[in-house]
Amino acid sequence: MCSCSSSNMAALKHSRSSCWICAVFLMLAARVVAQTDASNVQTVADANWTLILHGEWMIKFYAPWCPACQHLQTDWESLGRQSESLGISVGRVDVTQQPGLSGRFLVTTLPTIFHAKDGNFRKYVSSRTIEDIQAYVVQKKWEMVEPVPGWRSPSSLLMSGMANLFRLSVWIRQIHTYLTNTLGIPSWGSYVIFAIITLFMGLMLGLMLVLIADCIWPSRPKRREKTVVIVKEEVSEEEVEDILTEEKHASDLDNESERVSGDESTEEEGAMSDGATAGSDQPPPEGAAESSVRKRKPLEKNTTDGT
């Protein structure tokens, strides 16, 4: 009995140890498979996004909370396992962790898929099944799609600025969350703080612009302003001298005209006086003599009557 019980115990221990070994082996195998899948689907971030400027890529923008992104996850991992046979690289971008890249690619819907070929980007708008994505790559259907314009290219200066704006928005949201949740500041208090910071930054930016403008276009020196004023004063004096000479010339003309008119009036008066003297020397007409005689006769008659 003792020998049987000891043999059963040994067999039980052996089975238990073999089960543990099998479980560990399966866990290691699953981890290796997961690491293989993860290595085939590369995670693209701000630090290494320039890798997609070379070669052919299929990049997916997703968010963990997006139901459509979760539905696409299995097919995308399958595409990653087939990437070597297709001759492409497969990547994914978590927009919640990489807001700069979502702004650089101007992602507005989720999930969003881009095809990249040597720095030329095209937005994939076909069906999201694994078969259609494979046909899009193998049959080169991307050649019939117009690439993204140069000014909207992720490597352009405009999209770099857009990426910085997206990072700034996320940073502001994180600060707001810290102020309200961690420090217990009310939401309106957080808004007031941001408003004060915005006004202060605006004032500082305006001061910097004024200083830069003053350095590029400096104001005129005072000495130069004095010379300009002196020149203006000299010009005004010359104008005054011209006006005075014109007035003097006009007065001379008036004096000359008055002298000429005076000479003419004296000549007319002389002519009138000569005519009067000539009239006194001539004898009176006969009619005038008779009338004077007639006037004298009644006078003589009246004097005789009075006597």
Side-chain angles (χ1 to χ4, degrees):
M1 292 290 293
C2 293
S3 61
C4 292
S5 62
S6 61
S7 61
N8 291 332
M9 292 291 293
L12 183 60
K13 289 181 180 179
H14 180 72
S15 62
R16 287 181 179 177
S17 61
S18 61
C19 290
W20 280 106
I21 292 172
C22 292
V24 171
F25 180 77
L26 291 174
M27 290 176 63
L28 291 174
R31 182 173 296 181
V32 169
V33 172
Q35 289 178 355
T36 304
D37 292 342
S39 63
N40 289 335
V41 180
Q42 301 184 31
T43 300
V44 182
D46 286 325
N48 64 346
W49 80 271
T50 54
L51 293 174
I52 63 179
L53 297 177
H54 308 283
E56 188 173 2
W57 285 76
M58 292 295 291
I59 307 103
K60 178 188 71 170
F61 289 82
Y62 73 101
W65 47 263
C66 175
C69 300
Q70 296 172 1
H71 180 72
L72 180 63
Q73 183 176 357
T74 304
D75 290 339
W76 199 254
E77 290 177 355
S78 177
L79 180 66
R81 286 190 294 269
Q82 300 175 15
S83 60
E84 293 182 0
S85 61
L86 294 174
I88 63 173
S89 299
V90 179
R92 57 187 175 189
V93 180
D94 186 356
V95 296
T96 60
Q97 300 296 327
Q98 306 297 330
L101 285 179
S102 63
R104 188 180 292 275
F105 283 83
L106 205 63
V107 175
T108 56
T109 59
L110 295 175
T112 298
I113 300 174
F114 278 94
H115 174 269
K117 177 68 174 177
D118 295 330
N120 295 320
F121 294 88
R122 294 171 175 85
K123 191 173 182 180
Y124 180 80
V125 294
S126 301
S127 176
R128 299 192 186 105
T129 61
I130 184 64
E131 294 81 8
D132 291 332
I133 296 174
Q134 289 176 352
Y136 185 83
V137 175
V138 173
Q139 299 177 11
K140 294 184 179 182
K141 293 182 179 180
W142 51 267
E143 292 181 349
M144 297 182 293
V145 180
E146 190 71 21
V148 175
W151 63 273
R152 284 186 56 190
S153 177
S155 58
S156 65
L157 183 62
L158 180 62
M159 291 297 104
S160 298
M162 188 66 69
N164 293 326
L165 286 177
F166 272 65
R167 293 194 197 99
L168 179 63
S169 64
V170 173
W171 181 69
I172 291 174
R173 185 178 61 187
Q174 291 175 354
I175 293 177
H176 175 72
T177 304
Y178 175 77
L179 293 175
T180 54
N181 295 340
T182 305
L183 300 182
I185 298 175
S187 298
W188 63 267
S190 177
Y191 297 150
V192 170
I193 292 172
F194 280 113
I196 293 173
I197 293 174
T198 303
L199 291 175
F200 179 75
M201 292 180 64
L203 291 175
M204 294 300 297
L205 181 61
L207 180 61
M208 290 175 61
L209 291 176
V210 170
L211 292 176
I212 292 171
D214 194 17
C215 293
I216 297 175
W217 298 286
S219 59
R220 294 181 179 179
K222 295 182 179 180
R223 186 175 300 173
R224 188 174 179 180
E225 291 179 356
K226 290 182 180 179
T227 56
V228 172
V229 172
I230 290 170
V231 170
K232 288 182 178 180
E233 290 178 358
E234 291 177 358
V235 171
S236 61
E237 289 178 0
E238 291 177 359
E239 291 177 356
V240 170
E241 290 178 359
D242 294 338
I243 293 171
L244 291 176
T245 53
E246 290 178 358
E247 290 180 354
K248 184 176 180 181
H249 183 65
S251 62
D252 293 337
L253 292 176
D254 294 337
N255 294 331
E256 187 176 358
S257 62
E258 289 178 357
R259 187 180 63 186
V260 171
S261 61
D263 294 339
E264 291 177 355
S265 62
T266 52
E267 290 178 358
E268 290 177 357
E269 290 177 356
M272 291 176 65
S273 61
D274 292 337
T277 53
S280 61
D281 294 338
Q282 291 179 0
E286 296 180 356
E290 292 179 356
S291 61
S292 61
V293 171
R294 289 176 182 174
K295 288 179 181 179
R296 289 175 183 174
K297 285 182 178 181
L299 290 173
E300 291 177 355
K301 185 177 179 179
N302 291 331
T303 53
T304 54
D305 293 335
T307 56

